[in-house]
Structure formats: C-alpha cells, structure tokens
C-alpha cells in the first residue's frame, strides 16, 4: 500500500505493508534518530510527533498515519541541540540513546502545557525511560530550559 | 498481529459489512493492544474517517466517540471537574502520553481488559454504550455478556449525575498494570463501589453498596464494615502482580480510603 506522509515538513509517498509500524517505516527511510527499544510501547525511545503530539511509533501502524504530519528529531534540530546543551550542563545524560525521543517529548510538552509544574513535567515524561541518568538531572535541565525559553 | 487487508471505511455500514464478512475481520482502533495479538486479521477496519473522535457535552451527558484517544478524554476540561475528575485521574495513571495519544476509549471498553483502569470508574458512573446494531445498553450489561462480538461500539455515553467519586489504584511502578484498582461514587440517592484488576475484569460490590445505602450515618465503623464486605464479596485471583490474599487486603484498604474521601 502507498501512504502519503508529511515528514519533518516534506511530503512523501512511501510503500508500506498493512501491518507495518511507523518505527520501521521511518527507520527504513533513514530517519535514524527514531530508536527501537522495547518494541512494546513501554520505553518511549521510538517517540515521534504525530500532528505535534508524542506517540510511540513502535505501536502505531504506518497506514494510520496517512495524511498526518510526522516530526522526528531530524525535524527539530535547532531545538534538540538547545535542549541537549541544557542536558550537558546538568550532567543529565550518558549514552544518549533516549535523547532524541526525550527532546521531542519536551518540545511537544512546551507547546501543550503553558507553564508546567515539576509534577506536570514528570507526568508528561513518565513514558520516556532512561537507563543511565536517574531522572533528577533531566528534571533540573528541563526546568532550566523552560525557564530560559518560555 | 498480521494484517492482510487494511480498510479506512467511509461509513459504519461499510465497516459492519466488512466486520461480518469474515470471522477474522477486526475493528482496529488505536491498535496499541492488538499489536500484542497473535491473530491474522483478514480485514482490519479503521474508523478514523468517521468523525468518531469527538467528545460532545450535552446538558445530560458526555458522549464520547469510540475513536477518541485516552489523552483527548484526559485533557477535556469539563471531565476534569466532573465527579472530582475521577475519569481524568484514572487515565492519567495509564502509561505515558505516547500511549495515551494512541489508545482509544472504544478499544478500551471493547477489549473488556481485566487490568483496565478506566472501566472501573466508568462502572460507578452511569455509563451507557451505543452499538451500531444493538443500540444502547449499559456498560454493566456489556461486560457481563458475550453477545456484542460482531457489533461496532460507536459511542460511550456518561450521564452527568452529580456526586463525589474517587479512583484509587495500586501499581508497583507508574508504568505497570494495577495490582488492583477501585472506584467509589456517592450522592444522596446511591453509593457505587467497583473493583478492577482482580486480576479479572471490574465488578460492582453489590452487598457493600447495599450495606452503605441502608446506613444513615457514616461512622468509621460503618466505613470499615463496608470496605470489609467489599473485600469478601469480590472474587480475587493471583497472578505475577500479586496474590489473591494481597488483593483482598488491598481492596479493603483502598475502598476504605475511597469512602472516607467521598463521605467527607
Ligand atoms: C503497553 C501497554 C500498556 C498498557 N497499560 C495499561 C494500564 O496500565 N492500564 C490500563 O487501563 N490500560 C492499559 N493499556 C491499555 C490501553 O489503555 C487500551 O485500553 C488498549 O490499548 C486498547 O485500546 P486501543 O485503542 O489500542 O484498541 P485496539 O488495540 O485497537 O483494539 C482493542 C480491541 O477492541 C476492539 N475494538 C476497538 N474499537 C472497537 C469498536 N469501536 N467496536 C468494536 N470493537 C472495537 C478491537 O477489535 C480489539 O479487539 C495498555 C496498553 C499498552 C499497549
Ligand atoms: S520501542 Fe516503542 S516504546 Fe519502546
Ligand atoms: S542517557 Fe542512556 S538511556 Fe538515557
């Protein structure tokens, strides 16, 4: 089946199988910031934005995305770099595997919640697991990023 | 899950014809849970084009289209205050936003999942379901029946009854399934108590509800007794998340806390 997707602002027509997940479609199309972790909707490293909202691409069929706008970390490079700098300052990451998904989720959160409390930030990011950081540094980095950029 | 043919239908008639055309046809909502299924689906029927992802608020009820995502329900302003935000609270505890932006209320109710955190509070509210062929039935009727397999759930209708409600669940980590979940509702006319993740599907604690309805005052003893009746009447089982004995104890404590909250 052919699906029309808008990926990072560019219209694409891609051949997919009816049971193909968006994670595979995107990785096969070289959007390699989208990672495969658990492949069962639990870790969040496959997060992409669908019409601006974070979804787990490992659990979203590509055919369902027909006509929608998809954003990967490649599409928000400036913001992702900015967020990463705050993470660096706070020692909030190590291997970096979770970072593209986290940057996308923070990007979406900033647009969805006007002035989130620490609890709202934690709630919003509960689906983004990180094996390395312990989350406290991340929380500090996100708070600083929001305070400087909101 | 394997899918042979995918159909984005344009009418419910078309969806129904496909659903009944082959035993291995299936409605696909968010598809998040179906992903784990070992089934081969001959015709996957997607209702995304039918405008069924809306929450319509009338004077009497919230009418929620089956394709509305859990996140849409969670952030609905009116539902945040309806019955102390009991629905919002229950959804807020389900996984992360990434899944709540995919999973739908229709897929949740249709699946009748034992672990569901949403079905339990829906059971203590006046929740009705509108099916394409079978019309409107109560949620309780649906949960107790096997008759609706070949029908399409169109809407979930929640009456705006006034009262206080509380949802409390016990999870080992925030991204896990509940070991048990409970919901209580109270207004002048009635008290409703439901227990889910037993680990089987949610049930009303009828004897405990009758006990409370027959009491005029709600002393600590009455609350304790009501919680104890609920924990004895509801059948529990064991699974990897907890033993039957643990669930009985948790049930008593969570119902007690819920009642203390709604009887304040
Ligand atoms: C990893 C993971 C963790 C989860 N954890 C929790 C949790 O902790 N607590 C909790 O409460 N829930 C949890 N859920 C379940 C989730 O909340 C949804 O209930 C579930 O994903 C089903 O919704 P869906 O839209 O994905 O349905 P689908 O997977 O698309 O469909 C589910 C079933 O419903 C049928 N169906 C769907 N729509 C209709 C319709 N309109 N008419 C008739 N039949 C229909 C389908 O044919 C299928 O059999 C979890 C889900 C996942 C994937
Ligand atoms: S790979 Fe999708 S949530 Fe883990
Ligand atoms: S920095 Fe390694 S998983 Fe998050």
């Amino acid at each position: 089946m052919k699906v029309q997707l808008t990926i990072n602002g560019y219209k694409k027509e891609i051949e997919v199988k009816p049971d193909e997940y968006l994670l595979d479609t995107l990785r096969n199309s070289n959007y390699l910031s989208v990672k495969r972790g658990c492949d069962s909707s639990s870790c969040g490293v496959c997060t992409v934005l669908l019409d601006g909202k974070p979804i787990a691409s490992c659990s979203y069929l590509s055919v369902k995305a027909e006509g929608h706008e998809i954003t990967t970390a490649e599409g928000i490079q400036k913001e992702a770099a900015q967020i990463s700098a705050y993470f660096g300052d706070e020692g909030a990451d190590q291997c970096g595997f979770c970072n593209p998904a986290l940057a996308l989720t923070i990007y979406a959160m900033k647009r969805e919640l006007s002035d989130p409390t620490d609890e709202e930030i934690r709630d919003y990011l509960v689906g983004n697991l990180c094996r390395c950081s312990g989350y406290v540094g991340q929380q500090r980095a996100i708070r600083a990023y929001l305070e400087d950029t909101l | 899950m394997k899918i042979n043919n995918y159909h984005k239908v344009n009418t419910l008639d078309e969806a129904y014809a496909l659903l009944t055309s082959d035993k291995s046809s299936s409605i696909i909502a968010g598809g998040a849970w179906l992903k784990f299924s070992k089934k081969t689906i001959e015709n996957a029927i997607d209702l995304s084009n039918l405008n069924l992802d809306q929450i319509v608020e009338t004077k009497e009820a919230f009418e929620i289209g089956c394709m509305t995502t859990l996140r849409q329900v969670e952030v609905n302003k009116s539902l945040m205050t309806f019955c102390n935000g009991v629905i919002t609270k229950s959804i807020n505890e389900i996984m992360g936003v990434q899944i709540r932006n995919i999973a739908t209320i229709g897929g949740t109710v249709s699946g009748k999942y034992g672990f569901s955190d949403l079905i339990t509070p829906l059971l203590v509210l006046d929740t009705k379901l509108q099916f394409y062929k079978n019309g409107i039935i109560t949620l309780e009727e649906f949960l107790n029946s096997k008759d609706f397999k070949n029908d399409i759930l169109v809407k979930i209708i929640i009456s705006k009854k006034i009262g206080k409600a509380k949802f409390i669940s016990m999870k080992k980590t925030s991204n896990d399934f509940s070991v048990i979940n409970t919901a209580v509702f109270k207004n002048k006319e009635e008290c409703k108590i439901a227990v889910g993740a037993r680990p089987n599907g949610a049930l009303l604690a009828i004897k405990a509800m009758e006990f409370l309805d027959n009491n005029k005052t709600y002393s600590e003893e009455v609350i304790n007794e009501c919680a104890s009746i609920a924990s004895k009447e509801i059948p529990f089982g064991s699974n990897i998340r907890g033993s039957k004995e643990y669930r009985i104890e948790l049930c008593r404590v969570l119902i007690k806390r819920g009642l203390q909250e709604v009887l304040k």
Side-chain angles (χ1 to χ4, degrees), chain A residues 37-39 41-44 46 58:
Chain A
C38 64
D39 209 6
S41 343
S42 300
C43 71
C46 65
C58 70

Side-chain angles (χ1 to χ4, degrees), chain A residues 1 18-19 21 39-42 44 47 53-61 63-66 68 105 112-113 123-124 126-129, chain B residues 1-8 28-32 34-36 46 48 67 71-72 75 92 95-102 174-175:
Chain A
M1 303 170 78
D19 46 14
Y21 286 94
D39 209 6
S40 57
S41 343
S42 300
T47 301
K53 299 200 173 95
I55 59 156
S57 64
C58 70
S59 299
Y60 197 82
L61 289 166
V63 274
K64 278 177 73 73
E66 162 88 31
H68 292 277
T105 315
E112 199 176 327
L113 309 178
D123 269 0
Y124 203 93
V126 78
N128 289 84
L129 301 190
Chain B
M1 169 182 67
K2 192 166 170 7
I3 296 175
N4 288 339
N5 301 290
Y6 198 92
H7 308 266
K8 260 192 188 169
I28 191 144
L34 271 175
K35 176 182 162 90
F36 301 126
D46 182 342
S48 303
M67 293 296 284
R71 182 73 180 157
Q72 282 176 275
V75 299
N92 182 256
M95 299 295 286
V97 283
Q98 289 90 341
I99 283 301
R100 305 202 295 270
N101 274 326
I102 297 178
S174 56
N175 276 0

Side-chain angles (χ1 to χ4, degrees), chain A residues 45 92-99 102 129-133 138:
Chain A
V45 296
D93 57 4
Q94 289 178 24
C95 75
F97 194 65
C98 64
N99 279 20
L102 194 53
L129 301 190
C130 170
R131 300 300 299 259
C132 309
S133 76
Q138 289 186 353

Side-chain angles (χ1 to χ4, degrees), chain B residues 148-161:
Chain B
F148 301 91
K149 268 199 170 146
N150 262 338
D151 205 345
I152 302 166
L153 173 60
V154 181
K155 266 189 216 168
I156 291 85
I157 305 165
I158 306 167
S159 299
K160 281 187 173 169
K161 66 175 177 180

